[in-house]
Amino acid sequence: MNKLILVILIVVSSFYSKAESKQCRLPEKLAGYTLFFELSGMDYKVDLDTMVLRKLSFSNNWVENENLITGQLFKAYYIYSIFPPDIAFIEVYQTSRLETLLYRDILVCQTNIVGKLIYSPEVSAQEVNLSEQLITGKYILKKTMALL
């Protein structure tokens, strides 16, 4: 098993044990939701642009990722997988062909609108240093519109 996946599962398990006593639910789909988050751990070796307050706006298959400090925006394809009721994975790809994975987010809810986020940038096998690749933060998830 890939070491990064194993470490992610261990971390999620520890968050899960804390979240398990809470009554919270993540949505079945992210379309029509906005996720605000900020990561902690400025000593990690990731792009500093990642570490600022960000806003993710979700449609059916696409996410707009906005840096709330600079206003820089990019659009990417995403896949959302939920493990009811309180854990979800978001994989963000450069295109809909799923060729270039940009990053993964793991959401662990604490309430229906706030929770913990684990960010994992995509890196090559030669660059993997597990102690530097798992970055955590907090998120706020808000329903922004009803889609038909």
Side-chain angles (χ1 to χ4, degrees):
M1 178 181 256
N2 183 323
K3 288 183 181 181
L4 182 58
I5 293 173
L6 181 59
V7 170
I8 289 172
L9 291 175
I10 291 168
V11 171
V12 168
S13 297
S14 69
F15 282 135
Y16 182 75
S17 65
K18 292 177 185 175
E20 161 175 73
S21 63
K22 311 241 186 279
Q23 295 296 321
C24 61
R25 285 199 160 301
L26 288 163
E28 293 294 320
K29 296 180 180 182
L30 287 181
Y33 280 86
T34 300
L35 185 129
F36 297 92
F37 72 91
E38 186 169 32
L39 301 172
S40 58
M42 293 298 282
D43 56 328
Y44 291 105
K45 293 181 181 176
V46 296
D47 182 0
L48 291 179
D49 190 46
T50 303
M51 305 303 281
V52 300
L53 185 60
R54 301 199 71 87
K55 173 184 169 187
L56 303 180
S57 300
F58 296 92
S59 64
N60 287 328
N61 296 313
W62 296 92
V63 58
E64 286 187 353
N65 185 324
E66 181 179 1
N67 177 324
L68 292 177
I69 304 300
T70 66
Q72 183 180 16
L73 179 75
F74 74 88
K75 192 172 181 179
Y77 186 82
Y78 78 94
I79 296 176
Y80 178 68
S81 306
I82 186 166
F83 301 92
D86 55 3
I87 296 176
F89 285 62
I90 303 170
E91 290 187 332
V92 177
Y93 293 87
Q94 190 168 356
T95 69
S96 61
R97 292 187 301 269
L98 307 180
E99 293 170 349
T100 306
L101 178 64
L102 300 175
Y103 63 87
R104 290 179 187 93
D105 288 332
I106 300 172
L107 307 179
V108 181
C109 69
Q110 293 175 311
T111 72
N112 287 347
I113 59 172
V114 299
K116 295 185 183 203
L117 181 139
I118 302 167
Y119 170 83
S120 176
E122 184 57 24
V123 294
S124 68
Q126 294 84 9
E127 298 175 29
V128 172
N129 182 341
L130 297 178
S131 64
E132 295 177 350
Q133 297 307 316
L134 296 176
I135 302 144
T136 62
K138 296 186 184 225
Y139 73 84
I140 298 171
L141 183 64
K142 181 181 179 203
K143 187 152 183 75
T144 51
M145 63 181 187
L147 295 177
L148 299 175

